[in-house]
Structure formats: structure tokens, C-alpha cells
Amino acid sequence: MLPVKLLLLRTLPSAAVGQYFMLARSLTCGVTRLSKKAEQLENEEPVAEELPVTFVDDDAESAEAREARIATLRNKSRLLPQHRNMLHGVLPYEQSQSWIHETVKYKRMMLGRYGIDGSRVDPRVCFPTKKEAYEKAEYERVAFPFTLKQMMDANETARKARKAEIEAREEEVARKLEKLDQWTTDLNARIAKKEAEARAAKERKDRLVEEVRRHFGFKVDPRDERFQEMLALKEREDRKKVKEAKRKEKEEKMMEKLQKKTAQLEADVEVPSEQTK
């Protein structure tokens, strides 16, 4: 038989022969591994933790181990232990995991959240030490040096001052509103005076220009030097006339005041003389 099989293999192509040997080798290896696995399973004893709950001997394990195993099987959330504890309202960590867990602030927070029994924190951490109490009292003494009565009095004084300031401002506004009509009249009068002075200045300038033209007897360009010189001369003469008129008006007013004072003095002198008679 062997020569016939070898003859058949020789007649096959080389690629088919290679595949045949690889298939035979893989089958042999697989059968060997299965046999070894079966022998290991026969030799090993079943472990209680790896078996389902229904196949575990309850008498062989304690109640605490059983409860722990059942709790482990129940936990399907895949949360971290500390997160699961927080979800169930339990202290996240049994032992301190960081320096933050040893701080007073963290302990106070755990005490307020989980209580004395749940946090396992000494409640005395919530009260300040002598040093902290002294520092706080010193800070309050410097930051708030006044008593409550003093602050209330200062607040009342400031309120009265603000009220008085508001009332004074309102009175000032009322007085100014009363004078508003007079101020409007005065403003209109000043505007009218300015406009009148501007018109008078323009009329005076036009009059001087016309006098210069009559002086030359013919039409002259206002930009001409002769015209400008004559216009400046006329303006000086006109200013002298205006100044002289103002002076005379002032003298007349002074004389009128003197006459009034003289009449008043004469009247005052006549009254005592009549009383003596």
C-alpha cells in the first residue's frame, strides 16, 4: 500500500502535496491539544468562586463571604468603588488616598454630608482652635472697628446729609426755575443788542465807504491803497466822534447825579433848620 500512496503523491502537483501535509499537521496538533485539555479538566477540582451561585455549597462558605460574593455579582454598573459608594450615600474611601483627604476642609465636608457615623470624622474639627479664634477676632477688630450702634449712627448721619443735599438741590432748581423767565428776557435782550450793534457797525462801515467814494468823486476799487488809507482815516475820525459823544454823555450823567445829590443835601439841611424854629 505504501508504494501505491507514494506513487499517488508523486503524481500530484507539488503545491497540492504541500497543502496536504499542512492539513495533516494541523489536525494532529489540534487532536493533541484537545486531549491535553481533557486530562487537565479531569485532574482539576471545581472552585467554588468560579461556579454559579446555584452550584456553590452554602455550608462551605461563611455568611460574610457569601454576602460579599453576592454583592460582587450584583454590581453590574462597572463604576469605580468610590463612585459607587457616593451613589449609595456611603463614604467614598475607606482610607485616605491623597493629602487633600487629610485637610480640615475635606473632613468638615465629609462630616456634613455623611454624618458622624458615616464619615468617621471627629466632630471637633468643625470648631476653630484657639489660634484660629484669636486670628479671626483680631481680623474682625481691624476690619470692623466700629460697633453696631456706631455704624447705625453713621448710616443715619449719612442718610440725613444726603437728604439735606437733595433738598438743597431741589430748592436751588426751584429758584432758578422762578428766574427762568427773567433770564430768557435778558438773553433775548442781549441777543437783540448784539444784533443791533452788528447792524450799526455794518451801517457805519457802509456810510464810511460811501463817504470815501464821494471824497474821490469817482468809483474806486475798495482794494485800492488810496481807498484803504482814506477808509482808515474816516474810521479814526468816526471813532473820535463816538468817543467824544460817549464822553459828553458820561459828563451829562455825572452832572445829573451831582445835581440830585446837591438837591438832596439842600433838602437835608432845610429839614433841621425848620425843626429848630
Side-chain angles (χ1 to χ4, degrees):
M1 286 298 290
L2 186 57
V4 176
K5 289 182 179 181
L6 292 174
L7 181 61
L8 292 173
L9 290 173
R10 288 176 181 176
T11 57
L12 291 173
S14 60
V17 173
Q19 292 178 359
Y20 173 77
F21 279 110
M22 290 177 65
L23 180 61
R25 183 180 178 184
S26 62
L27 290 173
T28 304
C29 294
V31 171
T32 304
R33 285 195 297 269
L34 288 174
S35 61
K36 289 181 179 181
K37 186 68 175 176
E39 292 176 0
Q40 291 177 359
L41 291 175
E42 289 176 359
N43 296 329
E44 290 180 356
E45 294 181 359
V47 182
E49 294 181 357
E50 296 179 355
L51 293 176
V53 178
T54 55
F55 293 100
V56 176
D57 188 4
D58 294 338
D59 297 333
E61 63 177 349
S62 63
E64 294 181 358
R66 183 173 179 274
E67 292 296 332
R69 179 171 53 79
I70 292 174
T72 304
L73 294 173
R74 284 175 179 172
N75 186 12
K76 304 296 183 183
S77 63
R78 296 183 181 181
L79 293 174
L80 294 175
Q82 61 269 26
H83 296 162
R84 193 167 183 273
N85 291 340
M86 293 173 65
L87 181 64
H88 291 282
V90 184
L91 190 67
Y93 301 100
E94 295 293 334
Q95 300 293 334
S96 298
Q97 304 295 324
S98 174
W99 64 270
I100 298 175
H101 299 163
E102 298 296 332
T103 59
V104 176
K105 182 178 180 181
Y106 181 82
K107 290 181 179 180
R108 288 175 178 175
M109 183 175 65
M110 292 297 103
L111 180 63
R113 184 173 297 176
Y114 301 110
I116 297 175
D117 298 332
S119 62
R120 297 194 291 275
V121 175
D122 188 355
R124 288 179 295 179
V125 300
C126 296
F127 298 93
T129 62
K130 290 183 178 180
K131 182 179 179 182
E132 291 175 348
Y134 173 77
E135 290 178 352
K136 186 175 181 181
E138 186 67 16
Y139 171 78
E140 290 182 353
R141 185 183 67 81
V142 175
F144 309 103
F146 304 105
T147 61
L148 181 60
K149 183 67 170 59
Q150 291 174 342
M151 289 190 291
M152 291 175 64
D153 294 341
N155 188 21
E156 182 67 19
T157 303
R159 188 184 65 80
K160 290 181 179 179
R162 288 195 300 270
K163 184 178 180 182
E165 184 179 356
I166 293 172
E167 291 177 354
R169 177 62 178 169
E170 290 177 351
E171 291 177 359
E172 182 182 1
V173 171
R175 288 196 304 271
K176 289 182 178 180
L177 286 175
E178 292 176 357
K179 297 179 181 179
L180 181 61
D181 296 336
Q182 183 63 34
W183 289 346
T184 304
T185 303
D186 296 342
L187 178 62
N188 293 330
R190 286 197 298 270
I191 293 172
K193 183 178 179 181
K194 293 283 185 182
E195 292 177 352
E197 290 177 353
R199 286 195 299 272
K202 186 177 182 301
E203 292 175 357
R204 186 170 62 254
K205 186 67 175 291
D206 295 341
R207 179 174 54 78
L208 293 175
V209 169
E210 186 63 26
E211 289 179 0
V212 171
R213 285 179 179 173
R214 286 200 301 269
H215 173 76
F216 287 105
F218 55 89
K219 188 175 182 181
V220 183
D221 189 358
R223 293 172 295 180
D224 189 86
E225 292 182 1
R226 293 178 297 172
F227 186 87
Q228 293 293 333
E229 291 176 358
M230 184 57 64
L231 182 61
L233 180 60
K234 291 291 184 181
E235 287 178 351
R236 285 195 297 271
E237 292 177 355
D238 188 71
R239 281 197 296 271
K240 288 180 180 180
K241 291 180 181 180
V242 171
K243 189 175 181 181
E244 184 67 21
K246 288 181 178 181
R247 188 180 62 80
K248 288 182 179 181
E249 183 179 359
K250 188 176 181 181
E251 289 178 354
E252 291 177 356
K253 289 182 179 180
M254 289 293 294
M255 290 297 297
E256 185 176 355
K257 287 182 180 181
L258 290 173
Q259 290 176 359
K260 288 182 179 180
K261 286 183 179 181
T262 304
Q264 184 67 29
L265 289 173
E266 290 177 355
D268 294 340
V269 171
E270 290 177 357
V271 169
S273 62
E274 291 177 357
Q275 290 179 356
T276 54
K277 290 179 181 181

